[in-house]
């Protein structure tokens, strides 16, 4: 019940395309759903986050879509750029404890 | 300002030796986390410190792992009698207050046990 399932494991997108990464959770007590971006040799950095009372949040080219009834949320990267090539992690938080997905390695082709 | 720093950045040790990994959180952040990131895996929660409260050690995989946080600032993760399966990147993160929305991660320590 504490798992966060993330898919796909890897993703290749053409420059200018849309990248979509999906996550699913089971525990309805989660209260915060962040996405992190990690470049090789660096720690993860918060990209965008959403709370369960909101169905969508957009920041620039990045959008989170949240479906509370389905217990799923997704990250959409519009107009994907080669600089977006990184590993993306979804997470879910209950009080202070975060559960992370297994990550999606995104490669954007120039 | 300075972010979260970790040292060493890389550590190679022989099986059976003890190692200490250090984390300097962002000044003023009361919450501190340790995570383990194995190849191809997500981040695995190890331990959480919040102010002067007792830490949540529920993620420590065995009694060979321990951590302390001195003066509410610097934290040290100690692994005793290292095993090859301990090889991973160990990440530290800090945030402002309990459940602070943004965790700031350090660059990690890559531990290799030979």
């Amino acid at each position: 019940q504490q798992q966060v399932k993330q898919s796909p494991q890897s993703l290749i997108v053409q420059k200018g395309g849309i990248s979509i990464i999906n996550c699913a959770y089971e525990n309805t007590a989660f209260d915060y759903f962040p996405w992190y971006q990690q470049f090789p040799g660096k720690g993860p950095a918060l990209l965008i986050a959403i709370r369960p009372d909101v169905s969508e949040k957009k920041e620039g080219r990045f959008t989170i879509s949240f479906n509370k009834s389905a217990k799923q949320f997704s990250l959409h990267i519009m107009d994907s750029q080669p600089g977006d090539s990184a590993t993306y992690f979804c997470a879910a938080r209950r009080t202070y404890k975060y559960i992370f997905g297994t990550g999606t390695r995104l490669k954007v082709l120039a | 300002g300075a972010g979260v720093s970790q040292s060493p950045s890389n550590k190679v040790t022989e099986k059976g030796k003890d190692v200490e990994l250090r984390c300097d959180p962002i000044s003023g952040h009361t919450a501190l986390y340790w995570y383990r990131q194995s190849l191809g895996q997500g981040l695995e929660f190890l331990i959480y410190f919040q102010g002067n409260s007792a830490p949540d050690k529920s993620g420590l995989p065995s009694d060979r792992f321990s951590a302390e946080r001195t003066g509410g600032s610097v934290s040290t993760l100690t692994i005793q009698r290292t095993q090859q399966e301990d090889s991973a990147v160990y990440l530290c993160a800090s945030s402002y207050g309990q459940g602070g929305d943004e965790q700031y991660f350090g660059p990690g320590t890559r531990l290799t046990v030979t």
Side-chain angles (χ1 to χ4, degrees):
Chain A
Q1 203 180 22
Q2 291 296 316
Q3 281 190 324
V4 175
K5 296 182 180 179
Q6 183 172 347
S7 63
Q9 280 189 317
S10 62
L11 183 60
I12 299 175
V13 174
Q14 293 287 337
K15 179 182 175 181
I18 302 174
S19 303
I20 302 174
I21 305 170
N22 301 297
C23 284
Y25 64 97
E26 296 176 0
N27 190 338
T28 57
F30 291 133
D31 60 5
Y32 178 70
F33 299 87
W35 284 90
Y36 291 85
Q37 181 187 55
Q38 184 177 29
F39 293 104
K42 306 289 187 183
L46 179 65
L47 188 62
I48 187 172
I50 199 166
R51 297 188 188 280
D53 55 347
V54 177
S55 61
E56 185 176 281
K57 183 173 182 181
K58 184 176 180 179
E59 290 183 0
R61 295 185 295 110
F62 302 93
T63 300
I64 298 180
S65 296
F66 188 85
N67 186 328
K68 190 173 181 177
S69 61
K71 291 187 275 188
Q72 295 176 347
F73 59 110
S74 59
L75 174 69
H76 295 235
I77 306 174
M78 311 300 287
D79 187 26
S80 298
Q81 298 297 312
D84 298 330
S85 297
T87 299
Y88 294 81
F89 293 95
C90 63
R93 185 190 72 186
R94 181 181 180 184
T95 59
Y96 57 82
K97 189 176 284 188
Y98 291 78
I99 308 297
F100 285 81
T102 51
T104 296
R105 184 172 291 186
L106 172 65
K107 184 173 179 64
V108 181
L109 302 176
Chain B
V4 177
S5 61
Q6 292 187 244
S7 60
S9 55
N10 282 284
K11 176 72 176 179
V12 179
T13 190
E14 292 180 351
K15 177 182 173 182
K17 295 286 180 68
D18 298 352
V19 294
E20 285 189 353
L21 312 180
R22 177 187 169 104
C23 172
D24 282 271
I26 292 172
S27 177
H29 280 192
T30 59
L32 187 147
Y33 300 77
W34 282 99
Y35 294 94
R36 180 167 68 177
Q37 184 175 26
S38 302
L39 190 63
Q41 299 296 314
L43 281 68
E44 175 189 4
F45 168 83
L46 296 178
I47 189 168
Y48 167 76
F49 294 91
Q50 168 55 36
N52 295 320
S53 302
D56 178 349
K57 304 179 182 181
S58 61
L60 295 178
S62 77
D63 59 8
R64 297 186 295 104
F65 288 72
S66 63
E68 63 177 21
R69 188 178 185 190
T70 54
S73 181
V74 171
S75 178
T76 302
L77 177 69
T78 300
I79 308 174
Q80 295 179 310
R81 305 181 302 281
T82 52
Q83 303 295 311
Q84 287 189 327
E85 61 263 29
D86 299 334
S87 296
V89 175
Y90 290 83
L91 291 161
C92 174
S94 70
S95 66
Y96 182 73
Q98 178 172 335
D101 282 353
E102 183 158 5
Q103 289 185 98
Y104 294 83
F105 282 86
T109 293
R110 180 175 296 278
L111 175 66
T112 303
V113 182
T114 61

